[in-house]
Amino acid sequence: QELSSITCESYPGGSEIIRESLKHRGVPPESLDIVLASFAKNTISQYNSSLKAWWNFCIRNRINVYESSPTNVLIFLTEIFNSGCGYSSLNTYRSALSIILGKKVTTDDCITRFLKGTYRLRPPRPKYDFTWDPLNVLNYLSSFFPYNNVSVADLVIKTVTLIALASAQRMQTLSLIKLKNIQFQQNSILIKIPDLIKTSRPGTCQPLLNLPYIRESPQICPALSVKSYIDKTKTLRGEQSDDHLFISVRKPYKKVGSQTLGHWVKKALEASGIDVGIFGAHSTRHASTSAAHSAGVNIEVVRKAAGWSDSSNVFLKYYKKDLLRPDANYVEAVFNI
């Protein structure tokens, strides 16, 4: 195939490549923006490095970026595999290529076989086989009480970590909490998330966070922490906060994103003695759901809390971990204490 004139330019970015590929596949100009809206910004960002690698591969080998054969895709994926990437990463590359080449190419039998081969040769391994005990973090967070003596900086770290553990939601979801969507009830706080999130699909329900008041343990009560945080930051809020619950701890006190929330949660984990070299902010989902399941909470309840569908096997496949909590009776028996 001859090199397309457009590939003579430098890499234009993921959005432009996808736009151009849609044109090549016959999407009319008046429909382009609507079709492009189906791709979340995070999805385009996730695929950007894969698309750039494909772009450079095509430039180097004088291949049309938007029209290629399964043979060329196999050569490309083999290069990626030989560079050290494993099955999971290669699947991301294939997903990215399916956007611009179409699934007919990327689901070719030889490509499917190739990926199965990479799975056997370099199988994916979980980041860790166990998770931390939430009690360690809760014990640390309980020291920040009563709230009249706690700084905003410490209170926001405590609040976001408690919500993460109580809801098993992603940082992205927590970053979308707005004051107008928080309902204070007698025994709990309800938080609606109407904004689109990673798992939003037509026909699926948006998250509804239910934070009960734990009156017997107010020092670790997520609902009380939320209420106290709102009260303490009331005078700091302005137009910059855009009605978001979580705001920066320094002027101009603007809304913060998921990365900042993750940084705060990670600080709480580290201060609690959790190895943050292994566990990041996302591990709150592992720890929360694993602890709930270990305590006898029904798997359906765990799925619902974390935002997984009724038929989802995500928890059992990826999230169910043994808690790093030694069983005293077992240890005593083994060591004959």
Side-chain angles (χ1 to χ4, degrees):
Q1 291 175 313
E2 293 185 1
L3 182 66
S4 170
S5 60
I6 192 170
T7 60
C8 294
E9 304 171 5
S10 59
Y11 178 65
S15 296
E16 281 306 310
I17 283 190
I18 294 173
R19 176 183 287 274
E20 193 65 28
S21 71
L22 292 173
K23 291 180 183 178
H24 276 71
R25 293 165 65 183
V27 176
E30 59 268 28
S31 305
L32 270 176
D33 288 338
I34 298 175
V35 177
L36 280 169
S38 69
F39 297 98
K41 289 183 179 179
N42 287 343
T43 299
I44 296 176
S45 177
Q46 179 187 0
Y47 290 158
N48 186 61
S49 60
S50 301
L51 294 174
K52 185 175 183 179
W54 171 250
W55 177 278
N56 292 333
F57 172 83
C58 292
I59 293 288
R60 194 169 63 249
N61 294 282
R62 301 190 63 80
I63 297 170
N64 191 314
V65 172
Y66 307 105
E67 298 175 13
S68 192
S69 65
T71 300
N72 287 329
V73 173
L74 277 172
I75 295 172
F76 169 69
L77 292 177
T78 300
E79 284 190 9
I80 300 300
F81 178 77
N82 289 337
S83 71
C85 286
Y87 174 77
S88 297
S89 296
L90 286 165
N91 250 328
T92 300
Y93 279 93
R94 179 171 71 165
S95 297
L97 292 183
S98 70
I99 295 176
I100 59 175
L101 299 177
K103 290 187 176 180
K104 186 176 180 180
V105 173
T106 55
T107 57
D108 177 84
D109 182 63
C110 289
I111 293 176
T112 302
R113 286 287 172 187
F114 174 86
L115 285 168
K116 286 183 178 179
T118 64
Y119 181 87
R120 290 180 178 276
L121 293 172
R122 201 175 291 163
R125 290 181 174 83
K127 189 175 181 181
Y128 34 78
D129 297 320
F130 59 90
T131 191
W132 43 271
D133 186 353
L135 288 177
N136 295 331
V137 177
L138 293 175
N139 287 336
Y140 166 72
L141 295 177
S142 66
S143 64
F144 296 96
F145 191 81
Y147 293 124
N148 57 314
N149 298 323
V150 178
S151 68
V152 171
D154 288 331
L155 183 53
V156 71
I157 290 175
K158 176 174 181 175
T159 303
V160 67
T161 306
L162 285 177
I163 296 178
L165 287 172
S167 67
Q169 293 291 329
R170 297 177 178 85
M171 295 299 117
Q172 179 213 17
T173 303
L174 303 190
S175 71
L176 296 173
I177 298 176
K178 295 180 180 178
L179 297 178
K180 65 181 180 182
N181 296 322
I182 300 177
Q183 298 179 6
F184 294 90
Q185 300 187 333
Q186 184 176 355
N187 296 316
S188 65
I189 291 178
L190 293 180
I191 303 176
K192 297 179 181 178
I193 310 290
D195 299 87
L196 295 180
I197 60 172
K198 180 179 180 180
T199 55
S200 294
R201 299 287 187 278
T204 60
C205 297
Q206 288 294 107
L208 177 63
L209 282 56
N210 185 7
L211 306 178
Y213 283 102
I214 308 176
R215 305 192 190 282
E216 61 273 20
S217 300
Q219 69 276 14
I220 55 170
C221 174
L224 182 59
S225 184
V226 169
K227 186 177 183 303
S228 301
Y229 174 69
I230 293 175
D231 291 340
K232 196 173 279 280
T233 57
K234 189 174 296 183
T235 58
L236 305 179
R237 297 178 180 275
E239 293 183 2
Q240 295 285 347
S241 66
D242 195 29
D243 197 45
H244 281 67
L245 172 62
F246 294 112
I247 59 175
S248 57
V249 296
R250 297 183 181 87
K251 290 182 179 181
Y253 305 114
K254 59 183 179 179
K255 65 178 182 180
V256 296
S258 56
Q259 286 189 330
T260 299
L261 296 186
H263 174 69
W264 286 340
V265 170
K266 203 169 180 179
K267 287 182 70 173
L269 299 187
E270 185 173 22
S272 304
I274 308 300
D275 187 351
V276 293
I278 300 176
F279 300 104
H282 190 75
S283 67
T284 53
R285 280 168 65 81
H286 295 85
S288 176
T289 53
S290 295
H293 190 256
S294 296
V297 175
N298 187 281
I299 183 65
E300 302 304 326
V301 176
V302 173
R303 284 181 177 136
K304 185 176 180 180
W308 295 310
S309 67
D310 293 341
S311 59
S312 174
N313 289 320
V314 169
F315 171 69
L316 296 175
K317 189 174 182 180
Y318 298 107
Y319 283 82
K320 185 177 182 298
K321 307 291 183 183
D322 292 328
L323 293 183
L324 201 60
R325 180 192 296 174
D327 188 321
N329 293 330
Y330 179 84
V331 173
E332 289 175 5
V334 172
F335 285 82
N336 195 27
I337 298 175

